[in-house]
Amino acid sequence: MRVLVAEDDPALRDVIARGLEEADYVVDAVSDGEEALYYLGVYEYGLAVVDWRMPKMSGVELVAELRKKGNPLPVLLLTARDLPADRIEGLDAGADDYLVKPFDFGELLARLRALRRRPSPLRAGSLSFGGLLIDPSSGEAELDGEPLRLTRTERRVLEVLIDRSPAVVSRSLIATQAWQEEAEAVGSNTIEVHIAHLRSKLASSRLRIETLRGEGYRIVVGPEP
């Protein structure tokens, strides 16, 4: 899953970004609200971690702009402001959660996991599809009740395919959700190689990853193999 981090403190921004990458997220990190809004118009994100006090556009203003446009992206606000009136302002603007600085990074991860579990237009409940179960929190996967070994990237590719099934997912969207440097994946056969590996690992199941030439890929449930 791709996550946007908007934080004007460079040291804290770097800590959050590195920590999220170690937790298996693909991360873009920016320093102000206007830059965050630009990135939100370019990429599709699963979560956003946004600082309240930022130059050019505050976190609350950014969230309000997203909601005005009908964007349901789950947003966690970071702030040193902990008065009830401040919390109310942030939540009323459209933030989904609120974390006060300084915070424990483990709690940040737990709150993001909780936001991921909430039903959304792209994900209703847990990630399950045709006998495949993926726990986004632990990264563990099962296929027809048996453990399924997946690399981090393979799991990310499956997540984006399942999230959008039965729609066709373009190569560019797969790249932005599964790779930190998406241009490297789009400009090579990297995606095709990972799709081939996944097909091999799913061969004993009813799941099929179809290629639609010139459009992308989709995952479907077929007849018993």
Side-chain angles (χ1 to χ4, degrees):
M1 175 179 286
R2 199 174 195 97
V3 178
L4 178 66
V5 176
E7 166 62 58
D8 65 330
D9 182 325
L12 180 57
R13 184 173 64 248
D14 184 58
V15 167
I16 295 173
R18 286 190 289 108
L20 291 178
E21 288 171 0
E22 291 174 1
D24 200 22
Y25 291 98
V26 176
V27 181
D28 290 320
V30 300
S31 60
D32 64 67
E34 286 189 358
E35 189 177 15
L37 192 62
Y38 169 78
Y39 269 73
L40 287 163
V42 173
Y43 295 108
E44 181 176 318
Y45 293 96
L47 296 166
V49 180
V50 177
D51 183 33
W52 184 307
R53 290 181 178 273
M54 290 189 295
K56 300 182 181 180
M57 177 182 286
S58 72
V60 170
E61 291 172 334
L62 176 62
V63 173
E65 183 66 19
L66 286 177
R67 301 308 182 234
K68 180 181 177 181
K69 294 179 177 179
N71 190 330
L73 175 69
V75 177
L76 174 68
L77 270 181
L78 299 178
T79 180
R81 305 170 66 170
D82 193 28
L83 294 175
D86 296 327
R87 294 196 295 271
I88 292 170
E89 181 183 353
L91 294 171
D92 280 351
D96 297 273
D97 202 357
Y98 187 102
L99 192 57
V100 178
K101 302 176 184 179
F103 55 84
D104 179 82
F105 194 78
E107 182 179 0
L108 173 65
L109 290 177
R111 288 176 180 268
L112 293 181
R113 289 194 296 268
L115 289 177
R116 291 188 69 177
R117 288 193 295 268
R118 293 184 183 179
S120 74
L122 296 180
R123 175 178 294 142
S126 61
L127 270 178
S128 62
F129 190 82
L132 175 66
L133 297 174
I134 300 178
D135 183 343
S137 300
S138 67
E140 295 179 353
E142 291 184 1
L143 182 62
D144 295 329
E146 297 294 328
L148 178 64
R149 289 191 175 184
L150 299 170
T151 66
R152 286 186 173 187
T153 304
E154 288 170 352
R155 188 170 69 251
R156 291 170 179 167
V157 172
L158 275 179
E159 286 181 0
V160 69
L161 290 174
I162 292 171
D163 274 341
R164 291 156 179 82
S165 179
V168 179
V169 186
S170 67
R171 294 177 76 257
S172 61
L173 182 54
I174 291 174
T176 61
Q177 295 298 310
W179 278 269
Q180 186 69 41
E181 299 297 333
E182 70 274 9
E184 295 179 6
V186 172
S188 68
N189 69 339
T190 300
I191 294 176
E192 287 74 12
V193 169
H194 281 78
I195 292 292
H197 289 167
L198 286 171
R199 283 174 171 153
S200 177
K201 294 182 178 184
L202 299 175
S204 64
S205 74
R206 299 167 56 204
L207 295 179
R208 300 289 181 268
I209 300 177
E210 299 180 340
T211 301
L212 284 84
R213 190 172 299 277
E215 297 183 50
Y217 302 92
R218 68 180 172 196
I219 190 167
V220 299
V221 180
E224 294 289 345

